[in-house]
Amino acid sequence: RKEVEQDPGPFNVPEGATVAFNCTYSNSASQSFFWYRQDCRKEPKLLMSVYSSGNEDGRFTAQLNRASQYISLLIRDSKLSDSATYLCVVGSNDYKLSFGAGTTVTVRA
Amino acid sequence: EPEVTQTPSHQVTQMGQEVILRCVPISNHLYFYWYRQILGQKVEFLVSFYNNEISEKSEIFDDQFSVERPDGSNFTLKIRSTKLEDSAMYFCASSSTGNTEAFFGQGTRLTVV
């Protein structure tokens, strides 16, 4: 089983729409959770950390469900600039982050 | 804003040659990482480095690979004898503590011909 699995998409949504997607992880001892964003041929950039209580950053909301071992990301009021690949990242210990393959989101005008 | 810097941005090398990829992590960070991403594939963990030694490494990080922190600022990845399948984007990253978010450099695109 893969360490981190994501729905690859693509999610093709109109501007202003809400889009949500999940990620599952296999290691129940995982300690830290993040969403990164990656634009084509660029480096991953931290979008937000994910906390057990769930957290929100502007139009972005992340949730963590430890019991079911999944993380979600919801984007409200999508902008054209939100078009990117969203990477689910899980820290299994102090020394390693495991990446999902990414979910591609395309926002159209 | 502090950032991770990598050089060169692009390197072309012949199969069998040695390459050294260089990184300057964020200055007060203590954990350092190398990842790679083959075109069209996911980001893969190679190695982490803390307290002047390797903390963890993946199966990809075989005897052909080594890392070094030769001074207080640089963190290097050496590939001793490159293979065609080493062609990828190599990302350096650093974090202030373990188990926290890592910040990535812009990457070195390695092309082995």
Side-chain angles (χ1 to χ4, degrees):
Chain A
R1 185 181 169 190
K2 292 178 184 175
E3 289 182 86
V4 182
E5 293 203 61
Q6 294 184 247
D7 181 346
F11 289 81
N12 193 323
V13 300
E15 267 188 298
T18 295
V19 59
F21 39 88
N22 293 337
C23 148
T24 59
Y25 60 95
S26 60
N27 184 353
S28 59
S30 296
Q31 300 170 29
S32 56
F33 310 89
F34 310 96
W35 284 103
Y36 278 73
R37 168 196 171 125
Q38 187 174 32
D39 295 294
C40 189
R41 294 177 176 251
K42 300 284 190 182
E43 76 274 24
K45 289 187 176 175
L46 178 69
L47 180 65
M48 59 196 303
S49 302
V50 187
Y51 304 117
S52 296
S53 53
N55 48 300
E56 193 174 300
D57 184 359
R59 298 180 294 106
F60 298 85
T61 301
Q63 297 278 354
L64 167 63
N65 185 317
R66 284 188 182 269
S68 302
Q69 293 181 208
Y70 78 82
I71 308 151
S72 64
L73 181 67
L74 182 145
I75 307 173
R76 279 186 302 278
D77 188 23
S78 301
K79 311 289 185 196
L80 294 176
S81 56
D82 294 334
S83 296
T85 297
Y86 291 85
L87 307 176
C88 176
V89 181
V90 176
S92 53
N93 55 37
D94 278 2
Y95 308 115
K96 176 183 173 184
L97 296 175
S98 298
F99 282 71
T103 297
T104 300
V105 173
T106 302
V107 182
R108 61 183 189 274
Chain B
E1 184 178 314
E3 59 180 17
V4 177
T5 57
Q6 291 185 242
T7 55
S9 56
H10 191 187
Q11 175 137 14
V12 181
T13 189
Q14 290 204 324
M15 195 168 51
Q17 294 297 303
E18 175 184 286
V19 293
I20 298 176
L21 310 183
R22 302 182 191 279
C23 168
V24 179
I26 294 172
S27 62
N28 62 346
H29 283 187
L30 300 176
Y31 294 75
F32 314 115
Y33 314 87
W34 283 101
Y35 289 82
R36 80 171 187 190
Q37 187 173 31
I38 296 170
L39 189 63
Q41 297 187 24
K42 64 185 249 183
V43 175
E44 299 175 291
F45 170 77
L46 292 179
V47 66
S48 57
F49 193 86
Y50 170 71
N51 203 24
N52 284 318
E53 60 182 21
I54 290 175
S55 310
E56 189 162 339
K57 58 183 181 179
S58 70
E59 291 176 356
I60 303 168
F61 194 89
D62 62 21
D63 291 345
Q64 293 301 309
F65 290 85
S66 63
V67 289
E68 200 174 40
R69 189 157 162 81
D71 53 45
S73 59
N74 290 286
F75 180 50
T76 62
L77 174 69
K78 181 193 290 187
I79 309 175
R80 259 178 278 281
S81 177
T82 50
K83 303 188 280 285
L84 294 176
E85 53 265 37
D86 293 328
S87 295
M89 181 74 95
Y90 287 80
F91 293 111
C92 173
S94 69
S95 62
S96 55
T97 63
N99 222 13
T100 58
E101 62 271 11
F103 295 88
F104 285 74
Q106 292 181 307
T108 293
R109 182 169 299 284
L110 177 65
T111 304
V112 183
V113 296

